[in-house]
Amino acid sequence: MLKQIPGYLKDWRLHAAALLIVLLSESIGTISFELGAGMILILPMIYAFILGIAMVFTPVIKEKQFKHSEIMTTALIGLLVAKVSLNIGPAISMIVQVGPAILLQEIGNLGTVLLGLPLAILLGVKREAIGMTFSIAREGSLAIINDKFGFNSPETRGVFSIYLFGSIFGAVFFGLMASLLASFTPLNPLALAMASGVGSASMMAASSSSLSAVYPEMAAEIQSLASASMILSVATGFFVSIFIALPLAEKMYHLLTKRKPDKEEEEKREAGS
């Protein structure tokens, strides 16, 4: 009976290391401190990432654990997709009520491709640029890239790098940007509140908190609209990323680097063999 269980499920070293990392990270908790009008949040995920790297240099993690962890990560990404899907379903009626405004907001998020991808290529980034720039690189983005390109791919390395960077500095940027736009532009604070919901809870919280500090008399409306916008962005952004942003990023990458997709795939297969 035990012989029928896959090896990665019987790898006690891998599971013990993962459990230890989770317990240590959660025991530390979230650390936050203010920076100007914004706030830096250091989440347990960051500690887990650092501890995971440290484990590589111990006798606990060997080549077998590397291979098994890739399989487990791919399986767990499937659970992440299911979680995102559960968030999308209840928001369908809200999307219909809001109308085209929320869809236009998601089209605006294509700026990460139109601006970020050429800059990344200019800086010498290879196919990692596709994963780095097709979205703001939150949980749904990880699922999309992993499902299409696989865990051990440059696109996945790209989206993971921006995911970690955004987890540390994203809230700071959004908090500062919201306060600056609210203080020095004539934009309606409710429009800024709606723009806060890009699909990240921490970024939305930082942005809406800064707006509430500038407009305390509208704090309740700002918080409500920002939260609703975030839910809608998760729902619509998932589809925009799959059907528009990611194909656009791939097409732009091949045009800007003047490399044919089939030639790249052949090179990748040869490198892997």
Side-chain angles (χ1 to χ4, degrees):
M1 188 68 177
L2 291 176
K3 292 182 179 179
Q4 297 177 353
I5 300 176
Y8 59 87
L9 292 179
K10 297 187 292 185
D11 192 342
W12 65 268
R13 285 175 179 265
L14 175 62
H15 301 310
L19 178 60
L20 179 62
I21 289 172
V22 170
L23 292 176
L24 289 174
S25 301
E26 290 295 333
S27 65
I28 297 172
T30 301
I31 297 176
S32 63
F33 52 92
E34 295 183 359
L35 180 64
M39 179 178 292
I40 291 182
L41 296 174
I42 303 180
L43 304 173
M45 177 197 63
I46 305 300
Y47 317 138
F49 180 74
I50 295 173
L51 290 170
I53 294 177
M55 282 281 188
V56 174
F57 300 98
T58 67
V60 177
I61 302 299
K62 300 180 179 179
E63 184 177 355
K64 182 173 73 172
Q65 279 70 49
F66 274 116
K67 294 179 179 179
H68 289 168
S69 64
E70 180 178 337
I71 300 171
M72 291 296 295
T73 302
T74 302
L76 292 173
I77 288 290
L79 295 178
L80 178 59
V81 174
K83 181 179 181 296
V84 172
S85 300
L86 290 174
N87 290 333
I88 292 174
I92 294 296
S93 60
M94 192 184 299
I95 295 172
V96 175
Q97 291 175 9
V98 172
I102 194 68
L103 296 177
L104 292 175
Q105 173 178 297
E106 283 306 317
I107 296 299
N109 287 339
L110 293 179
T112 58
V113 179
L114 300 176
L115 300 177
L117 185 63
L119 180 59
I121 293 174
L122 186 64
L123 293 173
V125 182
K126 302 300 182 183
R127 287 192 63 88
E128 287 83 354
I130 296 174
M132 294 170 70
T133 62
F134 88 102
S135 69
I136 63 166
R138 304 322 298 159
E139 287 80 1
S141 306
L142 299 180
I144 293 169
I145 289 293
N146 184 79
D147 182 66
K148 179 165 185 178
F149 298 102
F151 181 74
N152 190 25
S153 66
E155 292 83 0
T156 297
R157 291 196 295 271
V159 73
F160 260 110
S161 65
I162 299 301
Y163 180 80
L164 293 171
F165 187 86
S167 298
I168 301 174
F169 299 106
V172 178
F173 177 83
F174 269 73
L176 292 171
M177 182 62 68
S179 61
L180 289 173
L181 291 174
S183 302
F184 299 108
T185 69
L187 294 173
N188 190 302
L190 296 182
L192 293 174
M194 186 172 180
S196 301
V198 295
S200 167
S202 60
M203 296 178 192
M204 181 276 294
S207 181
S208 58
S209 297
S210 296
L211 292 173
S212 298
V214 177
Y215 300 99
E217 71 283 359
M218 303 177 66
E221 296 171 88
I222 288 172
Q223 295 290 340
S224 298
L225 190 56
S227 299
S229 177
M230 190 198 73
I231 295 173
L232 291 169
S233 290
V234 171
T236 58
F238 197 74
F239 297 110
V240 171
S241 295
I242 293 174
F243 297 112
I244 301 178
L246 185 54
L248 177 62
E250 290 187 272
K251 185 66 175 179
M252 282 187 61
Y253 175 81
H254 295 307
L255 288 174
L256 292 173
T257 57
K258 294 181 172 59
R259 300 184 68 182
K260 295 182 180 180
D262 53 347
K263 183 179 179 181
E264 277 206 354
E265 292 300 323
E266 184 179 344
E267 290 177 356
K268 287 168 65 178
R269 286 194 297 270
E270 291 177 354
S273 60

